[in-house]
Amino acid sequence: TIEPRKQTKINMRQGARVARAALRTMLKIRLLSFNPSAAALKRFYTEVGVRQTAEGYGIDLDGRAVKTPLRHQLLVPSWSLAAAVAAEWDAQEETIRPSEMHLTSLSMTAIDKLDKTTKEEQVNDILPFLQTDCVCFQVSEPDDFVKLQRETWGPIIAWFQNKFRVELQVSCELLEPFQEAKTMNRMKDVLMLYDKPTLLGVHTATSSLASLVIAMGLIHNFISVQKAVEAADLETEYQTRKWGTVEWSHPIARTNTMAQVAAAILFIKHYRADG
């Protein structure tokens, strides 16, 4: 249960125990946040709380503040995002799986890294995805897959071109399509309008989908998370429709990607939702 932080009077012996427990908690949290792909660890807390401060909303585990790898308090600017991050911690059962805590990872990255980079550097990290965008690499056979490409990617490409007033180059050859300089410059101008936390979310969604085109459609509510993930992995979708799923493979990969992308969109939309 996510509850407000509780203030409790304790005696000296209790205080020593709390201090030792706080140190263990701090070290565990630091280990977790340093490596989001770390192996699962045993859950070491009972209650998760959201705490309001003058600087934002913090996350508490048994009344102790969660900190980032660089020892900053994990503070986010909106209650809605804080509640979602807290829910990730609360959802951990007997073990803690950092690789599944995407909002926590994004929030910590925003605190520890965004002040060390510029918006232009962030944009320059995103733009290359447009040159290798999955929707711009198409095939000319078999006919049923060509039809699926046209039905799935065609509306997204048309929306993107109309929304941002650009023309995308699409190739059916082995060589990658080369997006014109005016298209790249236009998309750079579009991305530069976003703030740093939004660009962090855009990069996460784009890299997860291997498509800036699909990611922008998702961010602007043209397509749902599920449809975006299906569109980004259209060959698997085609093979699944034709031959069925591989029980242990396709659903797991699809679920992981969907979780990453959904977290990126939630982060973008709720980072400043209260203000």
Side-chain angles (χ1 to χ4, degrees):
T1 302
I2 301 172
E3 298 180 354
R5 184 177 180 179
K6 297 178 180 179
Q7 300 292 333
T8 307
K9 291 183 179 181
I10 54 178
N11 59 34
M12 292 299 291
R13 182 174 297 176
Q14 289 173 322
R17 286 201 299 269
V18 170
R20 288 194 296 270
L23 178 60
R24 289 195 299 272
T25 300
M26 178 181 68
L27 292 174
K28 289 177 180 177
I29 292 172
R30 192 171 185 180
L31 174 62
L32 283 172
S33 48
F34 263 126
N35 184 9
S37 60
L41 298 176
K42 184 177 180 181
R43 176 166 171 159
F44 53 89
Y45 54 90
T46 301
E47 292 185 349
V48 181
V50 174
R51 168 178 39 86
Q52 185 173 9
T53 73
E55 294 79 26
Y57 297 86
I59 313 302
D60 288 348
L61 306 180
D62 292 337
R64 303 180 187 95
V66 176
K67 293 189 177 181
T68 72
L70 296 185
R71 311 306 302 134
H72 301 114
Q73 282 198 47
L74 176 55
L75 295 172
V76 296
S78 77
W79 183 92
S80 56
L81 179 57
V85 172
E88 284 188 334
W89 288 90
D90 199 44
Q92 307 304 303
E93 297 180 346
E94 293 184 1
T95 56
I96 302 169
R97 300 184 182 276
S99 62
E100 298 175 0
M101 302 172 73
H102 305 297
L103 284 171
T104 298
S105 178
L106 283 165
S107 299
M108 288 184 171
T109 299
I111 293 168
D112 283 352
K113 295 185 177 181
L114 289 190
D115 64 345
K116 299 177 177 65
T117 188
T118 66
K119 281 176 56 175
E120 186 166 14
E121 288 172 333
Q122 286 183 281
V123 169
N124 288 339
D125 283 340
I126 296 169
L127 280 175
F129 285 97
L130 188 57
Q131 290 286 12
T132 57
D133 202 292
C134 66
V135 304
C136 297
F137 287 84
Q138 302 191 11
V139 299
S140 55
E141 58 180 84
D143 291 343
D144 52 350
F145 187 46
V146 171
K147 181 174 182 289
L148 183 61
Q149 285 179 155
R150 184 171 60 250
E151 293 174 346
T152 305
W153 289 344
I156 301 173
I157 292 173
W159 171 86
F160 186 89
Q161 294 183 137
N162 181 65
K163 174 71 175 178
F164 300 113
R165 303 190 302 280
V166 297
E167 182 176 350
L168 293 177
Q169 303 300 312
V170 176
S171 174
C172 292
E173 307 296 333
L174 291 177
L175 296 176
E176 66 183 45
F178 182 77
Q179 303 303 335
E180 296 179 356
K182 61 182 180 180
T183 296
M184 301 300 290
N185 290 336
R186 168 61 182 157
M187 290 314 301
K188 181 172 184 176
D189 291 342
V190 169
L191 292 171
M192 286 296 292
L193 295 175
Y194 297 148
D195 60 17
K196 287 183 177 182
T198 298
L199 288 171
L200 174 61
V202 172
H203 187 279
T204 300
T206 300
S207 59
S208 298
L209 296 167
S211 173
L212 178 60
V213 175
I214 298 174
M216 294 299 280
L218 182 56
I219 291 164
H220 288 271
N221 301 313
F222 178 75
I223 190 172
S224 69
V225 171
Q226 180 176 344
K227 292 296 184 182
V229 173
E230 290 174 358
D233 195 17
L234 198 59
E235 184 176 355
T236 299
E237 182 69 16
Y238 170 72
Q239 297 292 347
T240 298
R241 293 184 186 185
K242 192 167 185 177
W243 307 109
T245 61
V246 177
E247 184 175 350
W248 58 269
S249 176
H250 293 168
I252 294 174
R254 178 69 58 83
T255 299
N256 288 340
T257 302
M258 197 171 298
Q260 292 171 350
V261 173
I265 300 307
L266 283 170
F267 182 81
I268 291 170
K269 295 185 181 299
H270 291 276
Y271 191 78
R272 304 188 192 282
D274 300 342

